[in-house]
Amino acid sequence: MGSAVSKILSRPEGFEDLGKEEICRLLLSEGADKELLFSCADRIREHHVGNEVHLRGIIEFSNHCIKNCFYCGLRRDNDAAERYRMTADEIADAAVAGAQAGLKTIVLQSGEDPFFTADMLARLIARLKDEHDVAITMSVGDRTREEYALMRDAGADRYLLKHETADPEAFSRLRPGTTLDGRIRHLVWLKELGFQVGSGCMIGLPGQTADTLADDILLLKRLDVEMAGFGPFIPHGDTPLASCTGGDVDMTLKTLAVARIMLPFTHFPATTALGTIDPEGRQRALKCGANVVMPNITPVRYKKLYEIYPNKICINEEGSIQCLPCITGIIRQSGRSVATDHGHSRKPVHGKARPQG
Ligand code: 5AD
Ligand code: SF4
Ligand code: FES
């Protein structure tokens, strides 16, 4: 007799409508069952999105933040953080270096920094889209619907806004002054505006259980996101969660694997946070459903200061010059290839897979 997990994983109808109980069983799998889950996710990844891995070059252009999330080193009340803002020209230069090195997606990420008005961001987006053949992903936190629309009209293709945790009580406790409902409303707006939407959550936040993690995956399924990132929570010494235990590699990989089998066409990154707690973390994620890596192409003098969590990898490497060949090597060693297209969503549109490009 096969195990409960092997029974779930041999469902002839597939996995897109797995229920909470089945998801929890998969998340709690160990040993041979866990390996079965990983190989199932790997197979589904290959079948739906192929062997190519998409690179998204990320520029962390400001570490100022008006929010006060308990888990994050950039939180407003962290006086120990040395703050910086890159100028529009510095951001454009970093993007050019990335584009010239072959990157087809540039991610512009910052803390929630109102210094950068939507108008300023729109001008920057239009400039980059005009000068380079790249997709632009914005990751600048909560804005008004009108501000999102300005960025979209300026040519931004995608928006990353992690839901962080689908537990409404934990969400409001860990992100003072905000609600899960509010975040979901923003994600729906972004979809309505035509962005390809990325979301995701942290693994191992205090109070998290397999049950709440199942809710995280079900929320991503309900939102039908184009991308989802899972990173282990890594406690930062200058935050209220300094003495908490962080997330672990295995639970992060299991969450990724279950999400892959339930959202087969979605893009999933092998996250930097996973590479931080395990030197083989990104390689392992690539074998459990991931098909994206996000090299950090922020200039070295700034990337050290973007300390969301401690001991982040790659902070001494000049991204376009050092991380890119390193990541390309990791991808090839994993038996995969680097995608040369823009890596837009491959989710079916009107029943057909989107054309590549
Ligand atoms: N450990 C891991 N990830 C974190 N993030 C914020 N703080 C931490 C931490 N301590 C993640 C959140 C956020 C992204 C910018 O970084 O998911 O969305
Ligand atoms: Fe600011 Fe984002 Fe950090 Fe929260 S997680 S404090 S919004 S940078
Ligand atoms: Fe940055 Fe390997 S990816 S050094």
Side-chain angles (χ1 to χ4, degrees), residues 102-224:
L103 292 173
K104 293 290 184 192
T105 294
I106 302 294
V107 183
L108 299 180
Q109 183 170 84
S110 67
E112 292 201 9
D113 184 1
F115 172 88
F116 286 94
T117 63
D119 271 329
M120 285 164 73
L121 294 173
R123 274 197 300 277
L124 186 59
I125 293 162
R127 173 175 170 187
L128 297 181
K129 290 292 286 192
D130 194 42
E131 292 171 5
H132 305 284
D133 178 27
V134 290
I136 298 286
T137 303
M138 299 303 291
S139 176
V140 297
D142 285 338
R143 296 273 172 158
T144 64
R145 196 179 198 282
E146 290 66 36
E147 291 177 294
Y148 293 138
L150 268 176
M151 294 185 241
R152 176 77 186 128
D153 290 344
D157 301 273
R158 313 188 188 124
Y159 204 99
L160 279 186
L161 190 69
K162 293 198 174 183
H163 74 273
E164 312 293 5
T165 170
D167 173 348
E169 189 275 325
F171 190 100
S172 290
R173 182 164 33 85
L174 297 174
R175 303 180 48 88
T178 69
T179 64
L180 178 62
D181 278 350
R183 175 118 313 193
I184 293 172
R185 186 172 353 108
H186 283 230
L187 287 162
V188 171
W189 286 344
L190 290 163
K191 283 232 140 186
E192 288 168 358
L193 291 166
F195 284 100
Q196 294 169 47
V197 170
S199 197
C201 61
M202 278 173 282
I203 312 300
L205 284 172
Q208 190 176 61
T209 60
D211 201 71
T212 61
L213 263 179
D215 286 335
D216 284 312
I217 300 170
L218 287 167
L219 175 61
L220 295 168
K221 181 76 197 168
R222 177 155 69 85
L223 291 168
D224 192 23

Side-chain angles (χ1 to χ4, degrees), residues 71-73 109 162 164 201-202 231-236 273 308-309:
Y71 42 78
C72 177
Q109 183 170 84
K162 293 198 174 183
E164 312 293 5
C201 61
M202 278 173 282
F233 160 60
I234 305 172
H236 186 298
I308 293 176
Y309 50 79

